[in-house]
Amino acid sequence: MAKRLFVKTYGCQMNVYDSSRMADVLAPLGYGPAEQAENADMVILNTCHIREKAAEKVFSELGRLRKLKAAKAEAGGRMILAVAGCVAQAEGEEILRRAPFVDIVLGPQTYHRLPEMVAQAARAGGAVLDTEFPAEPKFDFLPEPHAEGTSAFLSVQEGCDKFCTFCVVPYTRGSEYSRPASAVLAEATKLAAAGVREITLLGQNVNGWHGEEGWSLGRLIRELAEVEGVERIRYTTSHPRDMDDELIAAHAGLPQLMPFLHLPVQSGSDRILAAMNRGHDRAAYLRLVDKLKNACPDLALSSDFIVGFPGESDADFEESMALVREVGFVQTYSFKYSSRPGTPAAAMERQIPESVKEERLAALQALLLEQTTRFNHACVGREMRVLLDRPGRYAGQLLGRSPYMQPVHVKAAAHLIGKVVSLRITKVHPNSLEAIPA
Ligand code: 5AD
Ligand code: SF4
């Protein structure tokens, strides 16, 4: 009988990718998708450890799942419960202690071994824990990815050697690893053949990717642009320090590379950037933005910001606000600093009170909302290439994404789904843009 798998994903796009690959790994065992945990035979929580709140959510969700699992057992069935991802990696033992009803705990580097773990869990009474960093890269053992829709993630790089003082990623994801170019291009070719038109290359330090052939990410993107059917390319998340000339040149010369770049800066204050161990200052970031905008005048930027990093004064915070204006970010993800056990920043003096963090976050987000709105209005009248990817809310309407990831709706025939079309933006709605054929 077919079994049903429910995967709940927390955190970043890398986890979204990993979740779909875990489903691919389990498909040969007869697992198909379940709509919700309630009727699943196996539930995987793919977790995020980046901030305390994200990690704590996992434990409250486990409390809920415990009841579902017990109900299922009472009815004579069985639910296998797995915790995957970065909380599993960092707190595997703790999970088994606090939630002994969990069957499997696996880190982000071992999910190619899931079938063995499931078999083991079915046999054994106790839990299976696998949070190794195995010598064999998991990518060599994963089945073919299966594509759904017109846009897909493709993981090319994992791990981080940068050791920003606030961040757990170097500990949970390990050191930087790049997949070989040949494997990436083969996966892209399969995705394109299955109807994918837009590929987003993923990595914790995606532009730190380097191929065995001595290629950098710019070169990989050039090769990817040659793959038949690949019409749009994006990459995320980049580090300013790894932004080399070849990648900047790709922004100038490749129409497939979308003019929208997520380039986290974290803070606008040199003092805080140094305490964060970012390896660049404000001026270096601004020089980089200049170079990128020279290469691609249409480029729009987004960033991550942390407010309330230990020692951040009002003046430091004002420098972040000023940088947001100066760069003209059209989007940001901003976070209150969250102290993570084991990171250097957790031990720093002058931790900032929660109320101050909240005020700063609200101010930054208000400024960003203003800038995003201004950018959206500036798009009215512009012609944009939009990838139409699904039916809209109303009959005869399709939804798609602009080069800047804005949702766009247009009256168009259903056969255009999966096509990149030229549209003229006519109106700004609260959560989308409206367009007509150009
Ligand atoms: N507290 C708050 N935000 C954090 N980030 C990473 N670690 C922390 C932390 N300890 C943010 C950074 C990073 C994004 C993925 O999450 O801005 O770019
Ligand atoms: Fe974390 Fe910094 Fe590495 Fe990004 S570059 S994953 S913020 S340590």
PDB file of all heavy atoms in Angstrom, residues 12 49-52 164-169 237-238 262 264-266 276 278 303-307 309 333-340 343 345, ligand 1:
ATOM      1  N   CYS A  12      15.573  28.389   5.475  1.00  0.00           N
ATOM      2  CA  CYS A  12      16.023  28.974   4.204  1.00  0.00           C
ATOM      3  C   CYS A  12      15.653  28.116   2.997  1.00  0.00           C
ATOM      4  O   CYS A  12      15.134  27.010   3.118  1.00  0.00           O
ATOM      5  CB  CYS A  12      17.536  29.144   4.244  1.00  0.00           C
ATOM      6  SG  CYS A  12      18.407  27.577   4.362  1.00  0.00           S
ATOM      7  N   HIS A  49      18.211  26.369  12.567  1.00  0.00           N
ATOM      8  CA  HIS A  49      18.820  26.664  13.863  1.00  0.00           C
ATOM      9  C   HIS A  49      19.300  28.102  13.950  1.00  0.00           C
ATOM     10  O   HIS A  49      19.925  28.517  14.927  1.00  0.00           O
ATOM     11  CB  HIS A  49      20.013  25.701  14.042  1.00  0.00           C
ATOM     12  CG  HIS A  49      20.461  25.522  15.458  1.00  0.00           C
ATOM     13  ND1 HIS A  49      21.719  25.854  15.890  1.00  0.00           N
ATOM     14  CD2 HIS A  49      19.816  25.049  16.546  1.00  0.00           C
ATOM     15  CE1 HIS A  49      21.822  25.584  17.180  1.00  0.00           C
ATOM     16  NE2 HIS A  49      20.693  25.094  17.600  1.00  0.00           N
ATOM     17  N   ILE A  50      19.005  28.894  12.924  1.00  0.00           N
ATOM     18  CA  ILE A  50      19.705  30.173  12.787  1.00  0.00           C
ATOM     19  C   ILE A  50      19.363  31.157  13.910  1.00  0.00           C
ATOM     20  O   ILE A  50      20.221  31.888  14.363  1.00  0.00           O
ATOM     21  CB  ILE A  50      19.468  30.776  11.377  1.00  0.00           C
ATOM     22  CG1 ILE A  50      20.574  31.779  11.040  1.00  0.00           C
ATOM     23  CG2 ILE A  50      18.123  31.428  11.221  1.00  0.00           C
ATOM     24  CD1 ILE A  50      21.398  31.384   9.878  1.00  0.00           C
ATOM     25  N   ARG A  51      18.096  31.157  14.328  1.00  0.00           N
ATOM     26  CA  ARG A  51      17.701  32.016  15.445  1.00  0.00           C
ATOM     27  C   ARG A  51      16.955  31.167  16.472  1.00  0.00           C
ATOM     28  O   ARG A  51      16.380  30.136  16.123  1.00  0.00           O
ATOM     29  CB  ARG A  51      16.810  33.169  14.961  1.00  0.00           C
ATOM     30  CG  ARG A  51      17.591  34.270  14.257  1.00  0.00           C
ATOM     31  CD  ARG A  51      16.692  35.238  13.528  1.00  0.00           C
ATOM     32  NE  ARG A  51      16.076  34.618  12.375  1.00  0.00           N
ATOM     33  CZ  ARG A  51      16.636  34.543  11.173  1.00  0.00           C
ATOM     34  NH1 ARG A  51      17.808  35.070  10.967  1.00  0.00           N
ATOM     35  NH2 ARG A  51      16.024  33.931  10.181  1.00  0.00           N
ATOM     36  N   GLU A  52      16.952  31.645  17.698  1.00  0.00           N
ATOM     37  CA  GLU A  52      16.389  30.851  18.779  1.00  0.00           C
ATOM     38  C   GLU A  52      14.924  30.477  18.508  1.00  0.00           C
ATOM     39  O   GLU A  52      14.499  29.354  18.735  1.00  0.00           O
ATOM     40  CB  GLU A  52      16.501  31.645  20.077  1.00  0.00           C
ATOM     41  CG  GLU A  52      16.166  30.826  21.295  1.00  0.00           C
ATOM     42  CD  GLU A  52      16.308  31.641  22.569  1.00  0.00           C
ATOM     43  OE1 GLU A  52      16.761  32.800  22.494  1.00  0.00           O
ATOM     44  OE2 GLU A  52      15.952  31.105  23.627  1.00  0.00           O
ATOM     45  N   CYS A 164      31.108  34.351  10.616  1.00  0.00           N
ATOM     46  CA  CYS A 164      30.549  35.574  11.185  1.00  0.00           C
ATOM     47  C   CYS A 164      30.267  35.238  12.653  1.00  0.00           C
ATOM     48  O   CYS A 164      29.814  34.129  12.958  1.00  0.00           O
ATOM     49  CB  CYS A 164      29.258  35.955  10.483  1.00  0.00           C
ATOM     50  SG  CYS A 164      29.511  36.337   8.743  1.00  0.00           S
ATOM     51  N   THR A 165      30.516  36.208  13.528  1.00  0.00           N
ATOM     52  CA  THR A 165      30.517  35.862  14.952  1.00  0.00           C
ATOM     53  C   THR A 165      29.129  35.545  15.523  1.00  0.00           C
ATOM     54  O   THR A 165      29.020  35.045  16.630  1.00  0.00           O
ATOM     55  CB  THR A 165      31.161  36.994  15.785  1.00  0.00           C
ATOM     56  OG1 THR A 165      30.489  38.216  15.446  1.00  0.00           O
ATOM     57  CG2 THR A 165      32.642  37.125  15.497  1.00  0.00           C
ATOM     58  N   PHE A 166      28.072  35.867  14.746  1.00  0.00           N
ATOM     59  CA  PHE A 166      26.721  35.631  15.258  1.00  0.00           C
ATOM     60  C   PHE A 166      26.132  34.315  14.767  1.00  0.00           C
ATOM     61  O   PHE A 166      25.065  33.916  15.197  1.00  0.00           O
ATOM     62  CB  PHE A 166      25.779  36.771  14.798  1.00  0.00           C
ATOM     63  CG  PHE A 166      25.852  37.050  13.311  1.00  0.00           C
ATOM     64  CD1 PHE A 166      25.169  36.268  12.409  1.00  0.00           C
ATOM     65  CD2 PHE A 166      26.626  38.097  12.824  1.00  0.00           C
ATOM     66  CE1 PHE A 166      25.252  36.511  11.049  1.00  0.00           C
ATOM     67  CE2 PHE A 166      26.719  38.349  11.465  1.00  0.00           C
ATOM     68  CZ  PHE A 166      26.027  37.549  10.575  1.00  0.00           C
ATOM     69  N   CYS A 167      26.812  33.627  13.853  1.00  0.00           N
ATOM     70  CA  CYS A 167      26.125  32.637  13.004  1.00  0.00           C
ATOM     71  C   CYS A 167      26.498  31.187  13.321  1.00  0.00           C
ATOM     72  O   CYS A 167      27.668  30.856  13.520  1.00  0.00           O
ATOM     73  CB  CYS A 167      26.442  32.948  11.549  1.00  0.00           C
ATOM     74  SG  CYS A 167      25.529  31.909  10.403  1.00  0.00           S
ATOM     75  N   VAL A 168      25.478  30.322  13.309  1.00  0.00           N
ATOM     76  CA  VAL A 168      25.702  28.894  13.595  1.00  0.00           C
ATOM     77  C   VAL A 168      26.006  28.065  12.344  1.00  0.00           C
ATOM     78  O   VAL A 168      26.396  26.905  12.457  1.00  0.00           O
ATOM     79  CB  VAL A 168      24.460  28.243  14.274  1.00  0.00           C
ATOM     80  CG1 VAL A 168      24.309  28.718  15.694  1.00  0.00           C
ATOM     81  CG2 VAL A 168      23.200  28.511  13.461  1.00  0.00           C
ATOM     82  N   VAL A 169      25.826  28.665  11.180  1.00  0.00           N
ATOM     83  CA  VAL A 169      25.938  27.871   9.943  1.00  0.00           C
ATOM     84  C   VAL A 169      27.280  27.140   9.798  1.00  0.00           C
ATOM     85  O   VAL A 169      27.304  25.963   9.438  1.00  0.00           O
ATOM     86  CB  VAL A 169      25.617  28.740   8.702  1.00  0.00           C
ATOM     87  CG1 VAL A 169      26.035  28.053   7.411  1.00  0.00           C
ATOM     88  CG2 VAL A 169      24.132  29.035   8.668  1.00  0.00           C
ATOM     89  N   THR A 237      22.727  32.379  -1.445  1.00  0.00           N
ATOM     90  CA  THR A 237      23.010  33.716  -0.957  1.00  0.00           C
ATOM     91  C   THR A 237      24.477  34.029  -1.145  1.00  0.00           C
ATOM     92  O   THR A 237      25.315  33.171  -0.891  1.00  0.00           O
ATOM     93  CB  THR A 237      22.681  33.784   0.549  1.00  0.00           C
ATOM     94  OG1 THR A 237      21.279  33.696   0.726  1.00  0.00           O
ATOM     95  CG2 THR A 237      23.121  35.069   1.158  1.00  0.00           C
ATOM     96  N   SER A 238      24.760  35.243  -1.515  1.00  0.00           N
ATOM     97  CA  SER A 238      26.131  35.625  -1.825  1.00  0.00           C
ATOM     98  C   SER A 238      26.789  36.335  -0.665  1.00  0.00           C
ATOM     99  O   SER A 238      26.120  36.987   0.135  1.00  0.00           O
ATOM    100  CB  SER A 238      26.119  36.597  -2.992  1.00  0.00           C
ATOM    101  OG  SER A 238      25.699  35.921  -4.134  1.00  0.00           O
ATOM    102  N   HIS A 262      20.629  39.233  -4.161  1.00  0.00           N
ATOM    103  CA  HIS A 262      20.578  39.249  -2.697  1.00  0.00           C
ATOM    104  C   HIS A 262      22.020  39.220  -2.194  1.00  0.00           C
ATOM    105  O   HIS A 262      22.714  38.223  -2.358  1.00  0.00           O
ATOM    106  CB  HIS A 262      19.800  38.028  -2.204  1.00  0.00           C
ATOM    107  CG  HIS A 262      19.586  38.018  -0.728  1.00  0.00           C
ATOM    108  ND1 HIS A 262      18.929  39.034  -0.073  1.00  0.00           N
ATOM    109  CD2 HIS A 262      19.948  37.132   0.226  1.00  0.00           C
ATOM    110  CE1 HIS A 262      18.900  38.766   1.221  1.00  0.00           C
ATOM    111  NE2 HIS A 262      19.515  37.625   1.429  1.00  0.00           N
ATOM    112  N   PRO A 264      23.765  40.109   1.189  1.00  0.00           N
ATOM    113  CA  PRO A 264      23.635  40.561   2.576  1.00  0.00           C
ATOM    114  C   PRO A 264      24.817  41.391   3.055  1.00  0.00           C
ATOM    115  O   PRO A 264      25.963  41.045   2.787  1.00  0.00           O
ATOM    116  CB  PRO A 264      23.553  39.251   3.368  1.00  0.00           C
ATOM    117  CG  PRO A 264      23.010  38.255   2.408  1.00  0.00           C
ATOM    118  CD  PRO A 264      23.598  38.651   1.077  1.00  0.00           C
ATOM    119  N   VAL A 265      24.480  42.477   3.745  1.00  0.00           N
ATOM    120  CA  VAL A 265      25.536  43.321   4.310  1.00  0.00           C
ATOM    121  C   VAL A 265      25.537  43.242   5.840  1.00  0.00           C
ATOM    122  O   VAL A 265      26.547  43.432   6.473  1.00  0.00           O
ATOM    123  CB  VAL A 265      25.412  44.771   3.787  1.00  0.00           C
ATOM    124  CG1 VAL A 265      24.117  45.417   4.249  1.00  0.00           C
ATOM    125  CG2 VAL A 265      26.600  45.621   4.205  1.00  0.00           C
ATOM    126  N   GLN A 266      24.372  42.985   6.415  1.00  0.00           N
ATOM    127  CA  GLN A 266      24.163  42.778   7.868  1.00  0.00           C
ATOM    128  C   GLN A 266      24.160  44.054   8.698  1.00  0.00           C
ATOM    129  O   GLN A 266      23.393  44.183   9.641  1.00  0.00           O
ATOM    130  CB  GLN A 266      25.163  41.784   8.484  1.00  0.00           C
ATOM    131  CG  GLN A 266      25.362  40.484   7.708  1.00  0.00           C
ATOM    132  CD  GLN A 266      24.160  39.564   7.652  1.00  0.00           C
ATOM    133  OE1 GLN A 266      23.132  39.839   8.264  1.00  0.00           O
ATOM    134  NE2 GLN A 266      24.252  38.490   6.909  1.00  0.00           N
ATOM    135  N   MET A 276      31.372  41.709  13.814  1.00  0.00           N
ATOM    136  CA  MET A 276      30.700  40.553  13.203  1.00  0.00           C
ATOM    137  C   MET A 276      31.668  39.671  12.424  1.00  0.00           C
ATOM    138  O   MET A 276      31.267  38.607  11.946  1.00  0.00           O
ATOM    139  CB  MET A 276      29.608  41.036  12.226  1.00  0.00           C
ATOM    140  CG  MET A 276      28.377  41.615  12.863  1.00  0.00           C
ATOM    141  SD  MET A 276      27.284  42.229  11.528  1.00  0.00           S
ATOM    142  CE  MET A 276      25.730  42.385  12.442  1.00  0.00           C
ATOM    143  N   ARG A 278      32.839  40.270   9.425  1.00  0.00           N
ATOM    144  CA  ARG A 278      32.320  40.140   8.069  1.00  0.00           C
ATOM    145  C   ARG A 278      33.421  40.178   7.012  1.00  0.00           C
ATOM    146  O   ARG A 278      33.218  39.755   5.875  1.00  0.00           O
ATOM    147  CB  ARG A 278      31.311  41.262   7.796  1.00  0.00           C
ATOM    148  CG  ARG A 278      30.019  41.086   8.545  1.00  0.00           C
ATOM    149  CD  ARG A 278      29.202  39.953   7.997  1.00  0.00           C
ATOM    150  NE  ARG A 278      28.741  40.209   6.631  1.00  0.00           N
ATOM    151  CZ  ARG A 278      28.139  39.301   5.867  1.00  0.00           C
ATOM    152  NH1 ARG A 278      27.943  38.076   6.316  1.00  0.00           N
ATOM    153  NH2 ARG A 278      27.740  39.609   4.650  1.00  0.00           N
ATOM    154  N   SER A 303      19.017  42.663   0.781  1.00  0.00           N
ATOM    155  CA  SER A 303      20.047  42.372   1.788  1.00  0.00           C
ATOM    156  C   SER A 303      19.420  41.752   3.027  1.00  0.00           C
ATOM    157  O   SER A 303      18.201  41.782   3.201  1.00  0.00           O
ATOM    158  CB  SER A 303      20.740  43.672   2.185  1.00  0.00           C
ATOM    159  OG  SER A 303      21.671  43.426   3.227  1.00  0.00           O
ATOM    160  N   ASP A 304      20.270  41.186   3.842  1.00  0.00           N
ATOM    161  CA  ASP A 304      19.881  40.836   5.212  1.00  0.00           C
ATOM    162  C   ASP A 304      20.497  41.868   6.149  1.00  0.00           C
ATOM    163  O   ASP A 304      21.627  42.318   5.915  1.00  0.00           O
ATOM    164  CB  ASP A 304      20.458  39.463   5.619  1.00  0.00           C
ATOM    165  CG  ASP A 304      19.841  38.299   4.845  1.00  0.00           C
ATOM    166  OD1 ASP A 304      18.786  38.488   4.231  1.00  0.00           O
ATOM    167  OD2 ASP A 304      20.440  37.213   4.875  1.00  0.00           O
ATOM    168  N   PHE A 305      19.755  42.219   7.187  1.00  0.00           N
ATOM    169  CA  PHE A 305      20.285  43.083   8.243  1.00  0.00           C
ATOM    170  C   PHE A 305      20.028  42.441   9.598  1.00  0.00           C
ATOM    171  O   PHE A 305      18.968  41.832   9.806  1.00  0.00           O
ATOM    172  CB  PHE A 305      19.596  44.449   8.248  1.00  0.00           C
ATOM    173  CG  PHE A 305      20.172  45.409   7.251  1.00  0.00           C
ATOM    174  CD1 PHE A 305      19.659  45.465   5.961  1.00  0.00           C
ATOM    175  CD2 PHE A 305      21.228  46.251   7.589  1.00  0.00           C
ATOM    176  CE1 PHE A 305      20.192  46.344   5.030  1.00  0.00           C
ATOM    177  CE2 PHE A 305      21.763  47.131   6.664  1.00  0.00           C
ATOM    178  CZ  PHE A 305      21.243  47.172   5.375  1.00  0.00           C
ATOM    179  N   ILE A 306      20.963  42.597  10.486  1.00  0.00           N
ATOM    180  CA  ILE A 306      20.733  42.206  11.876  1.00  0.00           C
ATOM    181  C   ILE A 306      20.710  43.492  12.700  1.00  0.00           C
ATOM    182  O   ILE A 306      21.619  44.319  12.570  1.00  0.00           O
ATOM    183  CB  ILE A 306      21.851  41.276  12.381  1.00  0.00           C
ATOM    184  CG1 ILE A 306      21.782  39.934  11.636  1.00  0.00           C
ATOM    185  CG2 ILE A 306      21.751  41.062  13.892  1.00  0.00           C
ATOM    186  CD1 ILE A 306      22.842  38.942  12.036  1.00  0.00           C
ATOM    187  N   VAL A 307      19.658  43.658  13.504  1.00  0.00           N
ATOM    188  CA  VAL A 307      19.624  44.817  14.404  1.00  0.00           C
ATOM    189  C   VAL A 307      19.858  44.328  15.829  1.00  0.00           C
ATOM    190  O   VAL A 307      19.482  43.215  16.189  1.00  0.00           O
ATOM    191  CB  VAL A 307      18.294  45.602  14.324  1.00  0.00           C
ATOM    192  CG1 VAL A 307      18.049  46.103  12.912  1.00  0.00           C
ATOM    193  CG2 VAL A 307      17.118  44.756  14.801  1.00  0.00           C
ATOM    194  N   PHE A 309      22.808  43.849  17.321  1.00  0.00           N
ATOM    195  CA  PHE A 309      24.017  43.051  17.567  1.00  0.00           C
ATOM    196  C   PHE A 309      24.692  43.612  18.825  1.00  0.00           C
ATOM    197  O   PHE A 309      24.612  44.815  19.089  1.00  0.00           O
ATOM    198  CB  PHE A 309      24.953  43.168  16.347  1.00  0.00           C
ATOM    199  CG  PHE A 309      26.167  42.290  16.429  1.00  0.00           C
ATOM    200  CD1 PHE A 309      26.101  40.945  16.081  1.00  0.00           C
ATOM    201  CD2 PHE A 309      27.384  42.794  16.885  1.00  0.00           C
ATOM    202  CE1 PHE A 309      27.213  40.129  16.173  1.00  0.00           C
ATOM    203  CE2 PHE A 309      28.500  41.985  16.978  1.00  0.00           C
ATOM    204  CZ  PHE A 309      28.422  40.651  16.629  1.00  0.00           C
ATOM    205  N   TYR A 333      15.631  41.322   4.367  1.00  0.00           N
ATOM    206  CA  TYR A 333      15.188  40.465   5.449  1.00  0.00           C
ATOM    207  C   TYR A 333      15.920  40.997   6.660  1.00  0.00           C
ATOM    208  O   TYR A 333      17.158  41.006   6.683  1.00  0.00           O
ATOM    209  CB  TYR A 333      15.560  39.010   5.172  1.00  0.00           C
ATOM    210  CG  TYR A 333      14.956  38.522   3.892  1.00  0.00           C
ATOM    211  CD1 TYR A 333      15.624  38.657   2.682  1.00  0.00           C
ATOM    212  CD2 TYR A 333      13.674  37.975   3.889  1.00  0.00           C
ATOM    213  CE1 TYR A 333      15.044  38.235   1.491  1.00  0.00           C
ATOM    214  CE2 TYR A 333      13.093  37.557   2.710  1.00  0.00           C
ATOM    215  CZ  TYR A 333      13.779  37.686   1.520  1.00  0.00           C
ATOM    216  OH  TYR A 333      13.191  37.279   0.350  1.00  0.00           O
ATOM    217  N   SER A 334      15.170  41.495   7.627  1.00  0.00           N
ATOM    218  CA  SER A 334      15.867  42.038   8.791  1.00  0.00           C
ATOM    219  C   SER A 334      15.457  41.256  10.026  1.00  0.00           C
ATOM    220  O   SER A 334      14.304  40.827  10.163  1.00  0.00           O
ATOM    221  CB  SER A 334      15.590  43.529   8.939  1.00  0.00           C
ATOM    222  OG  SER A 334      14.303  43.848   8.510  1.00  0.00           O
ATOM    223  N   PHE A 335      16.436  41.073  10.887  1.00  0.00           N
ATOM    224  CA  PHE A 335      16.248  40.202  12.045  1.00  0.00           C
ATOM    225  C   PHE A 335      16.770  40.871  13.293  1.00  0.00           C
ATOM    226  O   PHE A 335      17.779  41.573  13.247  1.00  0.00           O
ATOM    227  CB  PHE A 335      17.032  38.895  11.854  1.00  0.00           C
ATOM    228  CG  PHE A 335      16.801  38.234  10.533  1.00  0.00           C
ATOM    229  CD1 PHE A 335      17.735  38.355   9.502  1.00  0.00           C
ATOM    230  CD2 PHE A 335      15.640  37.510  10.292  1.00  0.00           C
ATOM    231  CE1 PHE A 335      17.521  37.744   8.273  1.00  0.00           C
ATOM    232  CE2 PHE A 335      15.419  36.898   9.064  1.00  0.00           C
ATOM    233  CZ  PHE A 335      16.365  37.018   8.055  1.00  0.00           C
ATOM    234  N   LYS A 336      16.104  40.580  14.406  1.00  0.00           N
ATOM    235  CA  LYS A 336      16.677  40.958  15.701  1.00  0.00           C
ATOM    236  C   LYS A 336      17.803  39.988  15.986  1.00  0.00           C
ATOM    237  O   LYS A 336      17.638  38.779  15.773  1.00  0.00           O
ATOM    238  CB  LYS A 336      15.623  40.841  16.804  1.00  0.00           C
ATOM    239  CG  LYS A 336      14.527  41.860  16.692  1.00  0.00           C
ATOM    240  CD  LYS A 336      13.563  41.748  17.860  1.00  0.00           C
ATOM    241  CE  LYS A 336      12.611  40.584  17.663  1.00  0.00           C
ATOM    242  NZ  LYS A 336      11.641  40.423  18.729  1.00  0.00           N
ATOM    243  N   TYR A 337      18.907  40.499  16.455  1.00  0.00           N
ATOM    244  CA  TYR A 337      20.014  39.619  16.806  1.00  0.00           C
ATOM    245  C   TYR A 337      19.524  38.581  17.819  1.00  0.00           C
ATOM    246  O   TYR A 337      18.846  38.903  18.786  1.00  0.00           O
ATOM    247  CB  TYR A 337      21.177  40.425  17.397  1.00  0.00           C
ATOM    248  CG  TYR A 337      22.207  39.519  18.040  1.00  0.00           C
ATOM    249  CD1 TYR A 337      23.039  38.731  17.261  1.00  0.00           C
ATOM    250  CD2 TYR A 337      22.298  39.405  19.429  1.00  0.00           C
ATOM    251  CE1 TYR A 337      23.944  37.854  17.838  1.00  0.00           C
ATOM    252  CE2 TYR A 337      23.206  38.540  20.022  1.00  0.00           C
ATOM    253  CZ  TYR A 337      24.016  37.760  19.213  1.00  0.00           C
ATOM    254  OH  TYR A 337      24.899  36.884  19.783  1.00  0.00           O
ATOM    255  N   SER A 338      19.874  37.339  17.572  1.00  0.00           N
ATOM    256  CA  SER A 338      19.491  36.247  18.464  1.00  0.00           C
ATOM    257  C   SER A 338      20.774  35.547  18.902  1.00  0.00           C
ATOM    258  O   SER A 338      21.558  35.105  18.067  1.00  0.00           O
ATOM    259  CB  SER A 338      18.563  35.299  17.691  1.00  0.00           C
ATOM    260  OG  SER A 338      18.382  34.083  18.368  1.00  0.00           O
ATOM    261  N   SER A 339      20.973  35.494  20.191  1.00  0.00           N
ATOM    262  CA  SER A 339      22.213  34.930  20.725  1.00  0.00           C
ATOM    263  C   SER A 339      22.206  33.419  20.552  1.00  0.00           C
ATOM    264  O   SER A 339      21.285  32.743  21.004  1.00  0.00           O
ATOM    265  CB  SER A 339      22.285  35.308  22.213  1.00  0.00           C
ATOM    266  OG  SER A 339      23.352  34.641  22.800  1.00  0.00           O
ATOM    267  N   ARG A 340      23.203  32.889  19.870  1.00  0.00           N
ATOM    268  CA  ARG A 340      23.250  31.446  19.610  1.00  0.00           C
ATOM    269  C   ARG A 340      24.376  30.812  20.406  1.00  0.00           C
ATOM    270  O   ARG A 340      25.540  31.232  20.287  1.00  0.00           O
ATOM    271  CB  ARG A 340      23.442  31.172  18.107  1.00  0.00           C
ATOM    272  CG  ARG A 340      22.457  31.842  17.183  1.00  0.00           C
ATOM    273  CD  ARG A 340      20.995  31.608  17.540  1.00  0.00           C
ATOM    274  NE  ARG A 340      20.518  30.269  17.278  1.00  0.00           N
ATOM    275  CZ  ARG A 340      19.889  29.497  18.177  1.00  0.00           C
ATOM    276  NH1 ARG A 340      19.685  29.932  19.398  1.00  0.00           N
ATOM    277  NH2 ARG A 340      19.463  28.301  17.860  1.00  0.00           N
ATOM    278  N   THR A 343      28.502  30.520  19.697  1.00  0.00           N
ATOM    279  CA  THR A 343      29.064  31.503  18.758  1.00  0.00           C
ATOM    280  C   THR A 343      29.784  32.601  19.545  1.00  0.00           C
ATOM    281  O   THR A 343      29.387  32.906  20.679  1.00  0.00           O
ATOM    282  CB  THR A 343      27.954  32.150  17.899  1.00  0.00           C
ATOM    283  OG1 THR A 343      27.011  32.765  18.786  1.00  0.00           O
ATOM    284  CG2 THR A 343      27.237  31.126  17.046  1.00  0.00           C
ATOM    285  N   ALA A 345      29.734  35.818  19.350  1.00  0.00           N
ATOM    286  CA  ALA A 345      28.932  36.997  19.723  1.00  0.00           C
ATOM    287  C   ALA A 345      28.102  36.750  20.980  1.00  0.00           C
ATOM    288  O   ALA A 345      27.767  37.695  21.708  1.00  0.00           O
ATOM    289  CB  ALA A 345      28.034  37.420  18.564  1.00  0.00           C
TER     290      ALA A 345
HETATM  291  N1  5AD B   1      20.609  36.376  14.914  1.00  0.00           N
HETATM  292  C1  5AD B   1      19.855  37.037  14.018  1.00  0.00           C
HETATM  293  N2  5AD B   1      19.959  36.856  12.698  1.00  0.00           N
HETATM  294  C2  5AD B   1      20.869  35.964  12.264  1.00  0.00           C
HETATM  295  N3  5AD B   1      21.215  35.587  11.029  1.00  0.00           N
HETATM  296  C3  5AD B   1      22.166  34.656  11.112  1.00  0.00           C
HETATM  297  N4  5AD B   1      22.475  34.421  12.408  1.00  0.00           N
HETATM  298  C4  5AD B   1      21.682  35.238  13.135  1.00  0.00           C
HETATM  299  C5  5AD B   1      21.535  35.470  14.524  1.00  0.00           C
HETATM  300  N5  5AD B   1      22.271  34.846  15.416  1.00  0.00           N
HETATM  301  C6  5AD B   1      20.627  36.171   9.831  1.00  0.00           C
HETATM  302  C7  5AD B   1      21.681  36.846   8.952  1.00  0.00           C
HETATM  303  C8  5AD B   1      21.810  35.902   7.799  1.00  0.00           C
HETATM  304  C9  5AD B   1      20.404  35.345   7.704  1.00  0.00           C
HETATM  305  C10 5AD B   1      20.280  34.078   6.958  1.00  0.00           C
HETATM  306  O1  5AD B   1      20.027  35.153   9.052  1.00  0.00           O
HETATM  307  O2  5AD B   1      21.190  38.087   8.546  1.00  0.00           O
HETATM  308  O3  5AD B   1      22.205  36.546   6.607  1.00  0.00           O
END
